[in-house]
Amino acid sequence: MKLLRRVFPHPHLTILLTIVWVLLANAPSLNSVVFGLILGIVIPFITQPYWPDRPILRNWPMVVEYILVVLWDIVVANFTVARIILFKRDADRQPNWVCVPLELRSPEAITVLAGTITMTPGTVSCDLSAQGHNLLVHCLDAPDPDAVRDEIKHRYERRLKEIFE
Amino acid sequence: MTEFWEIVIAFFLIISGIFGFVGSFGMIKLKDPMSRLHAPTKATTLGVGGVLIASILHSLALEHRLSLHELLITLFLFLTAPVTALFIAKWHIHRHETPDSLPNAGEDGKWATHAVQTDEEIPDHTAT
């Protein structure tokens, strides 16, 4: 078991690298799978010192649910933002800063949350507070900043908490 | 059948064209720099996403082979776009915002960009 841990320090990364290589080759042949596996074993082994911790994903069904929720939100938010840009006068728009207090503590979870907020049109995550307990989010049009904060906490942070912590 | 798929593919191409245009148009219409930052995040989601779905469908339905490396473009975009957006936002906070113009940072007192110790005076090239 210990030997296995030394040879495969990050099993998830090994699988991910293999999949990425096969997709890059764009032909699922034995050739690309084998070479992908070699890369997937060598790269995590060499970069091991840079990845001291292993984030543990506890809830795989929740990962799938999270991805679907985010994709759906991106589509909906795209239409909302398109309407704001095309039909709303610039003077009527209320850009706003929102402070989201974080319950998440693991760096990976906060990174995923910040990335999700940026990729959903209408909100961009801008900064963390000095100790990483709050997230600063800029909203394109937010008459009610508290509603944005509650939605981020309810839709994304709650699910990420179940996945990572 | 080919005609049906061509219509579906054209639909996704038009969707992506519209959202790409709206994203670029937003860069002109929105006046403050922080709001302008929202425009590129739009173009990289549905704008690029539409082209990629069209590309997958085209190779699947018309060329009869499975091509999935478009998914990698999505993956790389989702990894890189938030990082660049964060860089630009941090630059903006560093040069144009003070701790008073931002909302309260809660128990930590300051936002990370303002908590950095500045050793030397940075000349302000943005002043006109």
Side-chain angles (χ1 to χ4, degrees), chain A residues 28-47:
Chain A
S29 63
L30 188 63
N31 252 336
S32 54
V33 174
V34 169
F35 196 69
L37 258 179
I38 294 173
L39 287 178
I41 292 167
V42 170
I43 292 176
F45 189 75
I46 296 174
T47 57

Side-chain angles (χ1 to χ4, degrees), chain A:
Chain A
M1 203 56 211
K2 220 172 168 187
L3 183 77
L4 212 65
R5 264 265 175 255
R6 284 188 70 137
V7 181
F8 299 102
H10 297 281
H12 292 150
L13 189 60
T14 305
I15 297 169
L16 182 72
L17 281 169
T18 313
I19 294 174
V20 166
W21 183 259
V22 173
L23 282 175
L24 266 179
N26 211 15
S29 63
L30 188 63
N31 252 336
S32 54
V33 174
V34 169
F35 196 69
L37 258 179
I38 294 173
L39 287 178
I41 292 167
V42 170
I43 292 176
F45 189 75
I46 296 174
T47 57
Q48 203 173 355
Y50 305 107
W51 304 75
D53 299 325
R54 295 176 187 84
I56 300 160
L57 304 182
R58 298 185 192 284
N59 196 337
W60 282 99
M62 195 51 110
V63 176
V64 178
E65 187 190 315
Y66 184 77
I67 292 174
L68 291 178
V69 165
V70 169
L71 285 181
W72 173 249
D73 282 1
I74 285 176
V75 174
V76 173
N78 258 296
F79 283 97
T80 321
V81 174
R83 210 168 56 232
I84 293 171
I85 290 181
L86 290 177
F87 302 119
K88 207 162 189 176
R89 284 193 303 132
D90 215 34
D92 295 342
R93 205 167 46 82
Q94 293 169 293
N96 229 328
W97 298 99
V98 180
C99 168
V100 182
L102 291 173
E103 285 162 42
L104 297 168
R105 284 296 169 263
S106 96
E108 292 87 5
I110 295 177
T111 312
V112 174
L113 179 66
T116 311
I117 291 171
T118 303
M119 288 317 281
T120 342
T123 49
V124 169
S125 47
C126 298
D127 208 354
L128 274 172
S129 63
Q131 304 298 321
H133 292 159
N134 295 274
L135 190 64
L136 183 65
V137 177
H138 187 267
C139 299
L140 187 59
D141 182 30
D144 183 8
D146 288 349
V148 176
R149 189 196 61 204
D150 291 342
E151 202 194 327
I152 289 172
K153 284 192 80 70
H154 182 74
R155 278 188 88 83
Y156 306 133
E157 196 187 10
R158 181 176 58 84
R159 292 193 168 88
L160 283 176
K161 208 170 164 56
E162 283 182 41
I163 293 172
F164 282 98
E165 287 173 7

